[in-house]
Every structure is written in structure tokens, then in C-alpha cells.
Amino acid sequence: MRSNLITGVLLLVFSVIFWLGADAIPKSRLSGSVGADGLPKMLAIALGVLSIGYLAQTLLTARMAGPVVGPRRETKTVDYTRHLRAIGMIVLGAVYVAIVPYLGYIPSIALLLLSVALYNGKRPSRGLLLFAVLGAIGFYLLFVRLLEVPLPAGIWPSLIG
Amino acid sequence: MEGLFYAWQAVTSMPVLAAAVGGVLWGILGGALPGISPSIAMALLLPFTYNLPPLVAVVLLAAVYVGAEYGGSIPAILIRTPGTNSAAATVIDGYEMQRQGRGGEALGLSLVGGTIGGLFGLILLSTLTEPLASLALVFTPPAYFALGILGISIIGSLSEGALLKGLIAGVLGMMIATVGTDPISGVSRFTFGNPNLLEGIHFILIMLGIFAVAELMTQAGEERWTEGSRPDTTNARLKLPSLATLWRLRKAQGIGCVLGAVEGAIPGGGGSVAAFLSYNEARRWSKEPEKFGKGSEEGVIAPETANNVVSATAIVPTLSFGIPGSNSTAILLGGFLVHGLQPGPLLFTTNPDIVYGLFGGLFTANIMMFLLGIVILGPCIWLVQRPKPYLMAAIFGLVVSGVYSIDHSLFDLSIVLVAGIVGYVMRVLGFPHLPLILGLVLGYMIESNYRRALLITNGDHIVFLQDRVSLGLLICAALIIFFSALREVRRYRKPIVLPESQIQENKHDAASFPS
């Protein structure tokens, strides 16, 4: 229930911010009677109304259900750890975004394959290393050679001259 | 006759044939991997379709959908883990047959039932789509606006028990669609001075984030995979049913065909609903209902036929009106939009080669599914037995590389990661994904037609009520929302007491819409 209330409040705050953002959209004579800010403002109002409805629904449901026994501390910790582990995948992705312009595609994708497999429970082994290296080469052949996608080469070409 | 010519041209064209084969192959492998739904398998391929010819791109995506519906039954039968939502009904008797040493028979029934279902669905798709689409030929900008609103209102029927959450997700999707340059005046909106946002946020990025990255995050958060854990896949040799067996099971197949056709055409129905309904009805009409749950052949072929019929009939509303009713068809719609093709009545006159070519491609895909299904079982089992961390790493690698290939931009990759977080949070809080995608893909259509209609009438909103088609569609939309709200209120008046374990399950299910 608590998470629903927090979600409702956050959505309500977001609807206000979105309204303010829509209000700041420059006016243009070409926009017609509604204007470029017309739909965004309507959406902000809709989200605001729906968030209030959501909050009311949460409170009503809680009232109908009676006193709620809170989840055990253990369950909360398990949930917390689960979410942190999930966020870890995004961190790995963000690190990839940060290093690929410098390291280039092949080393970066190899590191990504290695780190994601390790992060998800694979023990370090020669097989894992081979998977990362062969995987990176496979991706390189598929994307750069076959599909001709100009993936970042990194600092290597400038070092080689 | 012209349609038949285009379909034949597609069937005999090498790139389309390759797309059908490649799509089915990818679909079966993706469907066989628990956690990779048909929509995720399709979303992973979406960036690759960017540079392909339009027909090849849509056939590739549709073929993945076809293949994934069969692929999902492989782990359902062999290791009691449905690869896709719609294969959940197959687990009941399929796994029981596997335990009795008849796993090969169950796989054969699933493959043949799926092929029959797919071809039956294709007949319906090719005969129903054009008449339905021709209805929309009289559409004006107000009517198109109303059609978009009707599409959004489908959220009501999709959000069983979570109407407000569905509507909120739909509005959020439309908000994302407003980012970028305004379609009428050219003014930039919510770009914060970032030139990368001027063209808006591409829906492919949101789809990849919401489906693929959020799934990877969920899997990473689940119980740790341990070294050495490997599923038992003995008795895994495919055995095709004889004609006599198929004749004996004709009633179950018929039930699967009919229910699959009805459920597929209804937005939100989806393969899983069709499969469970078919299973139930097949048991009701069976001469041997006592065998259900104990390894009944009818219990395998009925749901498998139904979910493959759905893979074709679910495309009917998408092609006729441009309104997707499931995650997979939303991605297929994305495949059309990427190439500047707007599904709907005009598509039949402007690009008949694409529409009928898609029908031809789907025919090839169904035949290929049958042929590949016989030989691909070994690789599927090999894949299912691979350590989960390797699969997750490979999928993540595919996502980051595929996203870059769209626009050669690392900024896009950041958007995908953010969309992944949004998708994950939505899953945790029980917000459905499909309304967000619907809002995103329909948002542009709604806004541009709304403003175009008002430009014509100098801002007079009465135009939406004067246009008969628009009025009819808006009334339908209002009715859908009204009845969904009524159902929601009734549900709250009669609260069902669930055990805690089931509450957790429901929370998860709310995020898993028909794929």
C-alpha cells in the first residue's frame, strides 16, 4: 500500500512538472487553435486526475481491507536485494556506454559479455573467457562486417596512427 | 487476383523466403528459451529490420511471432517450463506425456497442431482484413482521431483489475510521444536543448527497454543460477502423429481453431487466453475427459492449435485499423511504421504488395515452421541446457549492438537503459506495459489528426460529433471505458481473499500482457 501511495504522489508531482514544461513550450502562429502545448497540457491534466484517482483507490482499498500486517523484515530485505541486483544490469550497461567510445567495440562488448555472465552467477573459468572472446568476435562479424554498422573503433586507430 | 499475384511473388522471392526461414528459426529458438516471449524475440530483431526492404522486414517480424508460438511448447513439454505465456496450457498434458516417455509424441502433436492452426488463422487473416479495412476508407481526420481514442480505450479491456494503472501507463506513453518537434508548427517540445531529442524518442528504443532490458533486469533479480544445474531432457525425439491420430483428434483441433480465431481478433485476448479456453472446451467436449491432466493428446493439440491461430488472427485489427491488440502485434506495427507504412485501409491501395506479400510470407513461415520444427529440436534442447548467465550476456550484447545500429548513437542506448528501468519499475508495481506502447504508437496519430481537424474547423470541437464515423467510434470508446470501470468497481465491491503467494503471482501477471 505504501508503495502505491508513493507512486501516486510521484505521478501527481510529475503531472505538475509536465504541465509546467508544456507551458514553457514556445508559442507559434503556425500551431493553430490548439497550439503545440495543447495536447501535453491535456495529458498533464489527465495524469493528474488519474493519479488522484489512483491515490483514492489505494486508500479506499486499504480501508476496506482493514488493518494490514506489515511484511516481515526478511521479505523486505529479499525484495531490496532483488531490485539492487536488477539495477546492477543497468550499471553494467551504463559502464559499456561510457567505455565504448574509448576502448572500441570489440574489447567493450567482450567485457560486457564477461561481466554480465559473472554478475549472473557464472564462475570465472577458461570457458567463460572463451565465451567472451568468441562472442565479441561473433558480434563484430555480424554487426560490423555483415551489417556494416560503424560501431565505435575507440582510441586504437589514433594510437596506431 | 492481384493479391494472389503479390502473395505468390513474395513466396517465390529469395529475400522474403530467407526472412521467413530466419524469422521462424529465431522465433522457435527464442520461444524455446523461458523468459523470452514472442514480443521480446521480435523486439530484439526490430533494430535489424531498419535497413531491410519493408516487405522483408515485416515478414521477418511476423515469422518470429509464428515460430515463437511453437517454440514455447518445447520447454513446456520437456522441462515443465512454458517458453511463452501461451504455452502454459500445454504444460499440463504435454509434460505428463513426457513423464510417461511420450514426450516425442507430444512435441509432434504440438508441431502439427501449430501448423494447422497457423494455416487456418492465415486463411482468416487474408479473407477478413480487407473487408474490415475498407470500412475505414471513409475516414476523415476527426474519424482518425476517434480511431486513435478507441485504440487507447482498448486499455480498458486489457487492464483487467488494473484499469487506472493501465490508463496511467497509456497517458505516460502519449507523453513520451510528445517529445521532439511538434508535427504541425515545428516547435521543439521537451528537448531540453538536446539535438538528439529533436526527432523524438523512437518507439523501438522504448520497446527494447520495456521488453528486453526489463526482462533481463527481472531475471538478474531472480534466484541465482548455480553452476551445474541442467534440466532433464530425456525422451526428446520428435514423433509426428499419423493421419488416423489427427482424424481422431479433429474435434480438439476444431475447438482450438474456433476459439483461437475469436480470441485473436479481440484485442487483449491473446494466445494464453485462447489456449486455456481451448483446453477447457476440449475437455468438456472430449469422449475421454478423464484423461486430461494425465497425458491427453487432445490436451496438447487443442491449446497448441489455438495459440498458433492467434498468431495470425491477432494481426487482423493491426492491419485493418492500425491498432495492435497485443505486445507482439504492437512490435509488428512498429516494423511497419519504421518504414513509413501506416497500417489501415490506405495500405491496401498504396502498398498492396506489402499486405499480400505479408500473407505470402506468413504462409511460407508456417510451412517452414513445420519443416524446421522437425530438425531444430536438437539445437533447442542444447540452447535450453546452456547456462542462464551465458544466454543473458548474449541477449544484452545483442541489445546494445542492435540499438547502435538504428541511428549510430550511444544516446539511444542510454534511452533504452532508462526505458528498461521504467519497464522494471512498472513490473514491480504491477503496471501493464502494453498501454504505454499503445499510447506511444497512437499518440502521434491522435495529436496530428486532432489538430488537423481543428485547423479545418477553426478550433470548433463539434466536428468530432458531427462526423458520423467519429461519433460512432467515440461512443464505442466511451462504452469500453465505462464497462471496464463498472467491472473494476464491482471487483472492488466483492474483494476476493487471496493467499499471500497468489498475491505475488498476480502482481507478476499484471505486467505480463498477452504476447
Side-chain angles (χ1 to χ4, degrees), chain B residues 295-417:
Chain B
S296 163
E297 292 168 324
E298 289 172 295
V300 173
I301 206 163
E304 280 303 309
T305 306
N307 65 35
N308 274 72
V309 174
V310 169
S311 70
T313 51
I315 302 175
V316 174
T318 313
L319 270 184
S320 306
F321 303 111
I323 294 178
S326 65
N327 292 335
S328 306
T329 48
I331 291 168
L332 183 64
L333 177 67
F336 276 97
L337 297 178
V338 157
H339 291 92
L341 301 165
Q342 176 65 54
L346 289 179
L347 195 65
F348 283 83
T349 42
T350 55
N351 298 86
D353 53 324
I354 303 288
V355 182
Y356 297 104
L358 173 63
F359 297 161
L362 273 171
F363 175 77
T364 314
N366 275 287
I367 301 299
M368 285 303 155
M369 181 182 83
F370 181 72
L371 298 176
L372 286 171
I374 297 171
V375 293
I376 207 173
L377 193 63
C380 279
I381 294 169
W382 180 84
L383 204 61
V384 168
Q385 288 179 330
R386 284 317 88 204
K388 192 173 141 189
Y390 282 158
L391 294 173
M392 291 176 70
I395 291 168
F396 208 5
L398 201 60
V399 169
V400 298
S401 312
V403 169
Y404 191 85
S405 68
I406 297 172
D407 222 6
H408 308 161
S409 157
L410 285 173
F411 180 78
D412 285 356
L413 191 48
S414 313
I415 289 184
V416 171
L417 295 177

Side-chain angles (χ1 to χ4, degrees), chain B residues 70 79 116 193 242 252 286 317 322 341 343 364 382 390 433 448 464 474 514:
Chain B
Y70 164 65
I79 57 169
I116 292 171
S242 64
S286 172
L341 301 165
T364 314
W382 180 84
Y390 282 158
H433 288 154
S448 52
F464 298 109
L474 286 175

Side-chain angles (χ1 to χ4, degrees), chain A residues 26-116:
Chain A
K27 307 285 179 285
S28 163
R29 284 186 184 175
L30 296 171
S31 298
S33 54
V34 178
D37 58 339
L39 187 76
K41 279 183 175 171
M42 274 191 237
L43 292 173
I45 293 169
L47 185 64
V49 171
L50 289 169
S51 313
I52 292 167
Y54 183 61
L55 285 168
Q57 190 189 45
T58 308
L59 290 171
L60 268 174
T61 314
R63 208 171 145 188
M64 281 163 74
V68 180
V69 182
R72 277 186 220 153
R73 190 175 287 267
E74 272 173 43
T75 326
K76 269 190 171 177
T77 318
V78 169
D79 268 7
Y80 188 65
T81 323
R82 190 161 58 96
H83 301 326
L84 271 183
R85 278 209 302 253
I87 289 293
M89 290 292 279
I90 296 295
V91 174
L92 291 176
V95 170
Y96 171 83
V97 174
I99 63 169
V100 72
Y102 305 102
L103 280 188
Y105 180 65
I106 296 184
S108 306
I109 198 80
L111 280 174
L112 182 81
L113 294 174
L114 192 75
S115 54
V116 171

